[in-house]
């Protein structure tokens, strides 16, 4: 195989620096620990799990996988459409290896995934693929009308048998509901922010203070 066909990574993205990874993991754990003890969560438990369980331990329910990151472009070593074009973008070449501050504005939980929403700045959007939201349309039709960057997220954990790319789809679903004017059912003011319920086991915690996370724009070969 010629080198040029093997030189594209599994994906490009922002990789959180070690110290902030620990902080984000702790914040996520605290949230999960609190969420599954709330009466509102217990009330909606049948929406969350199909099994006739009375309780669920969310910390056990989700499995964490690897270093925390925010994927910009999934390349699959060049097999994914548009990979080469992305790698050739001037912003990608210029900013490769640079440090960024990502703003984590919300945490969300669904029966499939737990993740953090990343609110991208103008500068950061120069690294965001123009079609990232469009690619999700087969699964989340309303993604076609959401602003670019809406899919940006950090996967914090997946339920058994769920692929990490699901986290972005789950986030888009919640944002699509918000765009339609559904504010979600305000459930509780928590220390971290306000918690709202969007039906079908979908929970969103809008952080009072966004978490600022130092991250390096780079790629993973895996
Ligand atoms: O949590 P994520 O964003 O979801 O990070 C991982 C990373 O690439 C390595 O698997 C993401 N990923 C996997 N497949 C795709 C895909 N088809 N489109 C976009 N992101 C993907 C996954």
């Amino acid at each position: 195989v010629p080198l040029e066909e093997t030189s594209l990574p599994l994906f490009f993205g922002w990789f959180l620096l070690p110290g902030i990874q620990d902080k984000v993991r702790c914040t996520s754990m605290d949230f999960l620990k609190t969420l599954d003890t709330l009466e509102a969560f217990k009330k909606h438990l049948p929406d969350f799990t199909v099994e006739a369980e009375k309780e669920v331990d969310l910390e056990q329910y989700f499995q964490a996988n690897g270093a925390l990151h925010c994927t910009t472009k999934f390349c699959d070593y060049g097999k994914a459409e548009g990979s080469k074009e992305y790698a050739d973008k001037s912003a990608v070449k210029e900013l490769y290896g640079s440090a960024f501050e990502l703003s984590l504005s919300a945490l969300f939980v669904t029966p499939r995934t737990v993740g953090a929403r990343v609110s991208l700045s103008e500068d950061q959007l120069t690294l965001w693929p123009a079609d990232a939201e469009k690619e999700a349309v087969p699964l989340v039709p309303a993604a076609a009308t959401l602003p670019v960057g809406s899919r940006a997220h950090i996967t914090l954990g997946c339920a058994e048998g769920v692929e990490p790319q699901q986290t972005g789809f789950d986030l888009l679903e919640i944002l699509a509901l918000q765009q339609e004017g559904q504010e979600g059912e305000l459930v509780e003011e928590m220390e971290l922010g306000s918690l709202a319920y969007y039906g079908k086991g979908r929970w969103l915690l809008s952080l009072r203070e966004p978490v600022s996370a130092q991250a390096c724009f780079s790629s993973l070969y895996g």
Side-chain angles (χ1 to χ4, degrees):
V1 185
L3 182 63
E4 66 210 45
E5 283 177 30
T6 57
S7 61
L8 286 169
L10 180 60
F11 67 94
F12 286 91
W14 289 283
F15 294 80
L16 271 59
L17 301 191
I20 192 72
Q21 284 201 46
D22 294 342
K23 186 185 163 187
V24 172
R25 280 208 181 87
C26 284
T27 305
S28 162
M29 283 297 181
D30 284 348
F31 173 46
L32 294 181
K33 236 184 241 167
T34 309
L35 182 61
D36 65 15
T37 63
L38 295 180
E39 281 312 314
F41 184 80
K42 290 181 186 162
K43 184 179 104 188
H44 291 297
L45 196 60
D47 293 350
F48 194 86
T49 162
V50 288
E51 288 147 62
E53 286 174 81
K54 287 207 192 69
E55 279 183 36
V56 58
D57 179 347
L58 289 176
E59 282 173 283
Q60 304 276 312
Y61 183 90
F62 293 112
Q63 273 123 52
N65 32 15
L68 297 185
H69 65 271
C70 174
T71 305
T72 53
K73 176 70 187 170
F74 179 72
C75 296
D76 199 10
Y77 307 108
K79 281 179 271 173
E81 206 181 310
S83 303
K84 176 108 177 56
E85 291 76 5
Y86 182 82
D88 285 343
K89 271 165 72 104
S90 59
V92 170
K93 287 186 180 157
E94 278 161 27
L95 297 170
Y96 195 85
S98 315
F100 288 82
E101 293 269 341
L102 297 182
S103 174
L104 282 48
S105 53
L107 298 178
F108 56 93
V109 169
T110 77
R112 299 162 296 278
T113 64
V114 51
R117 179 181 186 192
V118 179
S119 294
L120 298 175
S121 67
E122 297 266 310
D123 283 356
Q124 292 162 0
L125 281 170
T126 64
L127 292 167
W128 192 252
D131 54 359
E133 285 72 31
K134 301 275 175 304
E135 275 177 16
V137 167
L139 284 152
V140 187
T145 61
L146 287 169
V148 287
S150 296
R151 190 178 173 182
H153 68 277
I154 294 167
T155 298
L156 298 168
C158 293
E160 210 183 324
V162 173
E163 298 285 337
Q165 73 178 106
Q166 183 62 45
T167 317
F169 301 140
D170 286 355
L171 172 60
L172 288 170
E173 262 190 27
I174 295 172
L175 298 180
L177 291 171
Q178 285 182 341
Q179 185 177 245
E180 284 168 19
Q182 288 196 45
E183 282 305 312
E185 169 197 337
L186 181 67
V187 167
E188 189 139 333
E189 289 298 335
M190 298 172 72
E191 210 176 301
L192 286 169
S194 38
L195 177 70
Y197 186 60
Y198 286 86
K200 296 189 184 163
R202 296 170 294 197
W203 299 86
L204 180 81
L205 176 72
S206 303
L207 296 174
R208 210 177 303 285
E209 301 267 346
V211 174
S212 170
Q214 278 194 307
C216 175
F217 177 68
S218 178
S219 63
L220 189 85
Y221 283 81

